[in-house]
Amino acid sequence: HPQLGPALRAALARAGGVDEAAVSVGSARLGWPLRLEARDVATGEWAAARIVVDVDPWAALGGTRRIARVKAERLVTEVGTVGEVEAASAHGHARVARRRVTTTLPPEHWLGGLGLSIDEVGFETDHGALKRLAFAGARLGGVGELTGAATRAPDGSWLVRAARPGVVATARLDHDGADGQARLDKLAIGEWAAARGLPLGSAATASGTITFGADGAGARATVRVDVDGVTIDSPSLARRPIANLGAAVDGELGWAGGAAIARGLGVRMGKLRVVFDGSAAPGGAFDVTAPLPRIACSDLLAALPHALVPHLDGLVVDGAIGGRVQLSGDADDASTLAL
């Protein structure tokens, strides 16, 4: 129906408050019983490969125009993409489902850099007000398989609960950012760590709490976690893999401006505790300082895995040691490495 294109373009321009020249419609046609289908639709803020609008035929017979269902495929906006959006309404209540959601937020946004994708999310409204939502298959900050729900609080913020095997997280979200806590119980972290250049082994787990927050300045977290089941497989350190290692991790981690930031991040093995401060951009510049508090040499030796220093087994040592290491450079330029 060639005549539908201009009329639909004008209606979209009015609804979106944009100039009609900024709206384009590839094709449009009517279907049975009361359906409008448009392809290759674009405005100044979004674009969709296909849009289908179904009008309630029974309401139409009674003289009332009411949209029963709207479906959009391959929706693209400035903040992300959605594989499919479907909305249905009846008696003042509406349900909206979004599938295969991926955000493309800028680094300055409090979610930017963390990476958010959702397999499916459903919304429920009551007389035009969004009341609650549920989601499945969400991935945030590299942690996937998250399933949960969110409800609107009286102050307008969202109260969110998400879970997956090994972790339960609760948070409060509003337009300024988020605050919450995650409880870990033997959460498998081997695959997650390997994707970030930390080969901890497939059996590595984490248990403890992470208190987190995010706003326009970036994301931050206070960590109190015990890591167990770590395996180090590096011929440069030991001939054979060193398994069943553990450590306690505490301190602050952050993400801002596309870089990870450590503030007083301590790693403890036995009586040995090393504290890291600094920043590192993935594949870019890094500057990390690690002071070693003064410790008895015997305690340092006892904290090291036997497989790492087999030739020192039974050695009796005296005295103490301490120091400070600073490492900086650029991951893309080995000549900038400074120790």
Side-chain angles (χ1 to χ4, degrees), residues 86-250:
E86 187 171 357
S89 63
H91 310 296
H93 298 275
R95 296 180 182 273
V96 181
R98 299 182 181 182
R99 302 177 181 93
R100 303 182 301 281
V101 180
T102 303
T103 63
T104 53
L105 297 170
E108 58 269 20
H109 189 277
W110 65 269
L111 270 177
L114 293 179
L116 173 63
S117 64
I118 307 174
D119 288 345
E120 185 168 0
V121 57
F123 302 85
E124 185 175 343
T125 66
D126 185 4
H127 294 88
L130 186 59
K131 293 296 184 182
R132 52 192 155 267
L133 63 86
F135 56 88
R139 174 176 287 271
L140 177 63
V143 178
E145 301 177 28
L146 292 168
T147 299
T151 56
R152 179 80 82 171
D155 63 358
S157 63
W158 285 95
L159 304 178
V160 183
R161 184 183 188 277
R164 58 154 291 168
V167 61
V168 175
T170 56
R172 177 185 175 276
L173 284 71
D174 57 26
H175 66 279
D176 292 324
D179 292 286
Q181 184 181 75
R183 295 187 177 275
L184 283 55
D185 183 14
K186 297 185 184 304
L187 173 66
I189 60 173
E191 183 179 345
W192 178 88
R196 285 150 183 79
L198 298 173
L200 303 182
S202 60
T205 63
S207 300
T209 61
I210 300 175
T211 303
F212 58 88
D215 53 29
R220 60 201 173 276
T222 300
V223 181
R224 298 286 184 274
V225 171
D226 292 326
V227 180
D228 297 298
V230 174
T231 297
I232 297 178
D233 188 0
S234 175
S236 61
L237 294 177
R239 295 182 190 176
R240 288 175 244 179
I242 307 174
N244 297 321
L245 299 178
V249 181
D250 66 275

Side-chain angles (χ1 to χ4, degrees), residues 232-326:
I232 297 178
D233 188 0
S234 175
S236 61
L237 294 177
R239 295 182 190 176
R240 288 175 244 179
I242 307 174
N244 297 321
L245 299 178
V249 181
D250 66 275
E252 294 186 14
L253 282 172
W255 180 271
I261 302 170
R263 299 185 183 92
L265 184 67
V267 179
R268 179 183 293 276
M269 296 178 62
K271 294 183 179 181
L272 172 64
R273 184 173 186 268
V274 181
V275 180
F276 297 90
D277 288 280
S279 64
F286 59 88
D287 188 349
V288 180
T289 300
L292 175 64
R294 189 173 178 82
I295 182 175
C297 293
S298 57
D299 291 336
L300 173 61
L301 184 61
L304 299 176
H306 172 266
L308 189 61
V309 285
H311 302 298
L312 300 182
D313 190 26
L315 182 68
V316 178
V317 295
D318 196 4
I321 188 173
R324 179 177 180 272
V325 176
Q326 182 174 8

